[in-house]
Amino acid sequence: MQANAQNKAAQRNGRAVAPPTKVNAKYEHSTRPDVYALLTRLDKVKENGPGRWLACCPAHQDRSPSLAVRETPDGTILVKCFAECPTADVLAAVGLELKDLFPQRDQDDYHASKRPGERWVPRDVLSAIAQEALITLLAAEATHRGEGLARADLDRLATAAGRLRNAAREVGCHV
């Protein structure tokens, strides 16, 4: 009864209202993000269809709703400010982060080995190697432009070289 009174008061103030607590309880054990955690922090929220809302953007001086919020079937929350505010700024203005818009995954397929005896997952290894190669490329470009590398950058470059060398050794190439 008290929750209904709070919901009515919130509606009068132009705030989004979470569905009754029975529905909220469903999300407590879910890995889906709760769209109402975002909507309750926004002003002038209006439902614009099933799983769609419009609200005032908290990242800029917004008098009429210019922020679209949508919940996809997989639970991802999409946020678009038509005044072109970055989504990270919109979320920061209400105390949320980008990760709060996406369903949590118990495990990703590429984090589990697929073949017996496999020590690494190829996708993860290639991702790590690509990152170290990028560090090497950035250092090479800075050197080519005639810029000296700071001590911290030289140390990071040495770490990248060591990691690339170790990756090569692990697959049988002794560089």
Side-chain angles (χ1 to χ4, degrees):
M1 187 108 167
Q2 185 180 8
N4 286 339
Q6 289 173 342
N7 285 348
K8 286 180 184 176
Q11 284 175 332
R12 282 192 301 269
N13 293 329
R15 296 258 184 205
V17 179
T21 52
K22 191 176 194 182
V23 175
N24 287 345
K26 178 177 88 174
Y27 289 106
E28 286 178 18
H29 302 292
S30 173
T31 59
R32 294 170 62 111
D34 184 7
V35 70
Y36 296 102
L38 170 61
L39 294 175
T40 56
R41 299 170 190 213
L42 300 173
D43 290 325
K44 296 184 182 178
V45 177
K46 296 175 186 168
E47 192 165 4
N48 196 25
R52 295 173 182 262
W53 298 267
L54 288 174
C56 288
C57 177
H60 73 274
Q61 299 284 332
D62 202 3
R63 293 181 206 158
S64 63
S66 67
L67 184 71
V69 178
R70 183 175 146 223
E71 186 176 26
T72 65
D74 76 343
T76 301
I77 300 169
L78 304 176
V79 177
K80 166 78 172 142
C81 175
F82 292 102
E84 300 184 8
C85 293
T87 301
D89 292 353
V90 172
L91 295 174
V94 294
L96 296 174
E97 299 177 42
L98 286 171
K99 68 178 182 165
D100 297 323
L101 300 180
F102 299 95
Q104 295 176 357
R105 298 182 201 170
D106 291 333
Q107 61 186 18
D108 287 323
D109 293 337
Y110 56 87
H111 286 290
S113 181
K114 298 291 184 192
R115 298 178 201 124
E118 186 176 68
R119 289 180 55 178
W120 312 276
V121 178
R123 176 186 263 168
D124 293 344
V125 172
L126 288 174
S127 175
I129 289 172
Q131 183 175 354
E132 299 307 320
L134 179 61
I135 297 294
T136 306
L137 174 65
L138 292 173
E141 286 178 343
T143 304
H144 179 71
R145 288 190 305 266
E147 300 171 9
L149 296 177
R151 183 79 236 160
D153 293 335
L154 285 171
D155 291 343
R156 181 59 181 95
L157 182 59
T159 299
R163 288 177 178 169
L164 290 169
R165 208 170 319 136
N166 287 339
R169 279 192 204 121
E170 287 291 328
V171 295
C173 296
H174 296 285
V175 182

